[in-house]
């Protein structure tokens, strides 16, 4: 079904009469392309983490929705994102993670770029031994930079360049978690893992931001942080999620725990919050650690979840970190059969998007409403341009 035929009017109704997104928004390639622009390129989407390029000169090539990108920390220590293509003939510049010692050199014709993206060398461009030409203006042929911002160690990108400033677009979330706006220290290799899931990325968001499924999908977690201990987090147009009034710190065999973040309100002694920052970043905060999950939509029915765990101090107990990572991996893996089952369910032609529990599905309904509103805005802009 072409994207302009998906009816989103029932999605934007109040929760007690709304339907979920129509099936094509999970399985149709044309709709996936429309959502790529409307939901991911036009907004502040999560790409990677700054901890993946910890030192000046560190560079990591990656692909985001088919676009070849280069994540790099320049020689001044600033994290940047460039299109990973030479301005000469479009050759991929960096094909594996590495340290840029001098310049970024194209392996095809050796055009060279600084880590700030400036074109600095064009050997033989004017003929043998002639490294300049009047028709080649180096000042206008630097690498194409993608607008980016780092917060919570996540590298957020706005491909279109049209979104509001990050501080404005995420203002409410920044204020809500201002206590956690302090250095986060990545837990290292054992605190980073990846889950490959056969579902549309939106299903991962929908599942993450509600607690309704806890008793049946996460019985271990629900045994101490029960469904009735949770509350909704709802900010229309920005994010939604869940919080718990009961957070139990993980301990090692000696009963030791991670150190706390300094200066937290006393509510965090027992509370934790889990928020889906639209479109594709899932965040969690606790008194002693935090995490970020970046959802990379590789196809309408395939998503890669990149999970990163953080701590208040750079040196924490290695065994505790490993135990914490395994605990979260177990929880997140418990969700896989659910989101993959919902993905298969979207192939049922009689399914109309489903209904929401007015009491329990508020955070998920908010996400659907945001998706529908952004797609409608995108369609309106396209019509106006025509």
């Amino acid at each position: 079904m072409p994207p302009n035929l998906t009816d989103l009017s029932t999605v934007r109704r109040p929760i007690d009469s709304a339907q979920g997104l129509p099936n094509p928004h999970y399985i149709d390639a044309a709709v996936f392309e429309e959502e790529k622009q409307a939901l991911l390129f036009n907004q502040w989407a999560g790409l990677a983490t700054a901890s993946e390029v910890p030192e000046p000169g560190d560079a990591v090539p990656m692909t985001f929705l088919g676009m070849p990108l280069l994540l790099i920390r320049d020689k001044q220590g600033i994290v940047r994102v460039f299109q990973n293509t030479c301005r000469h003939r479009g050759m991929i510049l960096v094909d594996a993670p590495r340290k840029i010692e001098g310049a970024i050199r194209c392996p095809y014709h050796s055009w060279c770029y600084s880590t700030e993206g400036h074109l600095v060398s064009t050997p033989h461009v004017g003929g043998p031994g002639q490294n300049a030409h009047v028709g080649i203006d180096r000042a206008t042929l630097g690498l194409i930079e993608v607008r980016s911002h780092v917060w919570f160690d996540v590298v957020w990108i706005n491909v279109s360049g049209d979104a509001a400033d990050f501080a404005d677009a995420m203002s409410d979330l920044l204020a809500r978690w201002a206590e956690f706006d302090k250095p986060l220290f990545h837990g290292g290799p054992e605190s980073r893992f990846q889950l490959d899931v056969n579902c549309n990325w939106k299903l991962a968001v929908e599942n993450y931001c509600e607690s309704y499924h806890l008793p049946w999908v996460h019985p271990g977690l629900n045994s101490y942080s029960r469904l009735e201990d949770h509350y909704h987090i709802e900010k229309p147009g920005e994010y939604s999620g869940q919080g718990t009034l009961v957070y139990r710190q993980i301990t090692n065999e000696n009963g030791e725990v991670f150190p706390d973040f300094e200066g937290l309100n006393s509510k965090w002694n027992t509370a934790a919050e889990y928020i889906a920052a639209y479109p594709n970043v899932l965040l969690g905060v606790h008194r002693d650690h935090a995490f970020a999950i970046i959802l990379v939509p590789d196809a309408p029915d395939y998503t890669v979840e990149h999970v990163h765990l953080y701590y208040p101090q750079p040196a924490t107990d290695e065994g505790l970190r490993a135990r914490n990572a395994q605990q979260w991996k177990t929880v997140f893996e418990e969700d896989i059969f659910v989101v993959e089952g919902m993905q298969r369910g979207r192939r049922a032609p009689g399914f109309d998007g489903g209904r929401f529990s007015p009491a329990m599905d508020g955070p998920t309904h908010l996400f659907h409403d945001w998706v529908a509103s952004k797609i409608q805005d995108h369609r309106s802009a396209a019509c106006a341009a025509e």
Side-chain angles (χ1 to χ4, degrees), residues 111 121-134 136 138:
W111 284 29
S121 176
T122 51
H124 309 302
V125 73
Q130 302 298 315
N131 298 331
H133 190 280
V134 67
I136 302 297
R138 291 183 187 175

Side-chain angles (χ1 to χ4, degrees), residues 4 10 16 28 41 46 55 83 100 136 164 172 196 221 224 227 230 237 245 251 255 262 283 289 304 336 339 345 349:
N4 62 349
T10 57
D16 56 356
D28 188 273
F41 284 1
E55 302 294 334
Q83 292 187 18
I100 306 297
I136 302 297
D172 198 87
D196 301 309
L221 184 60
Y224 60 90
L227 178 61
H230 286 72
L245 300 173
T251 61
E262 293 184 0
L283 302 169
H289 75 284
V304 180
I336 291 178
V339 294

Side-chain angles (χ1 to χ4, degrees), residues 215-241:
W216 305 281
V217 180
H218 304 297
L221 184 60
N222 189 70
S223 67
Y224 60 90
S225 182
R226 304 162 302 169
L227 178 61
E228 53 265 39
D229 296 322
H230 286 72
Y231 56 91
H232 295 340
I233 299 171
E234 299 177 326
K235 175 61 178 177
E238 280 194 41
Y239 60 83
S240 58

Side-chain angles (χ1 to χ4, degrees), residues 44 147 149-151 156 163-171 174:
W44 284 104
R147 190 181 182 204
H149 184 89
V150 177
W151 177 72
W156 309 74
D165 288 345
F166 185 87
D168 295 327
M170 299 287 187
S171 59
L174 296 178

